[in-house]
Amino acid sequence: MNKFRIVLNVMLALAMFFSGLYLLGQDSFFLADRWNPEVGTLLEGAALYCLAVGLFLLGGFAGMVAYGWIKGSLTMPDKDTMRPHPSYKGLVIVRYWYWVLPAVVFIMLAFLQAGKAPNPSLQRTSQSCVSGTLHLDSASL
């Protein structure tokens, strides 16, 4: 179980890093509203960069926890327990607070800077024939 936790944390760290890289490669990122997919949160500019930095920091936190477990400087939870005690989780967060606190600040800042916008995938496209009717010439008959 302990090796599984290390592998899972490394995979989580990599997923966070690649998610941050993906966001840095985009002009904007739209998060649809849960109850109304026609509107949502549009992250662009500084908001998008803040979210990417927050994801990098969370990935760093997951990576440091895995590194601490591998190195032995951070005690592993008991391998027979599926979910460690909340005090252990608090100990890990307090130990690596310098990764967690800026990550929370950057993610909150990203969503405070983001604006509500209509879903760009549902915007009308400019097409000449939207009705779908077929126009026949008399010469084609």
Side-chain angles (χ1 to χ4, degrees), residues 63-114:
M64 287 301 293
V65 170
Y67 179 72
W69 284 340
I70 292 169
K71 188 178 171 186
S73 62
L74 182 63
T75 59
M76 297 269 312
D78 187 26
K79 59 178 154 180
D80 294 332
T81 60
M82 182 64 94
R83 300 179 75 194
H85 195 270
S87 65
Y88 176 78
K89 294 176 185 178
L91 174 85
V92 171
I93 290 173
V94 167
R95 181 167 179 158
Y96 297 109
W97 66 271
Y98 47 88
W99 289 97
V100 177
L101 183 65
V104 170
V105 169
F106 273 108
I107 291 172
M108 285 177 44
L109 188 62
F111 283 101
L112 287 174
Q113 290 179 350

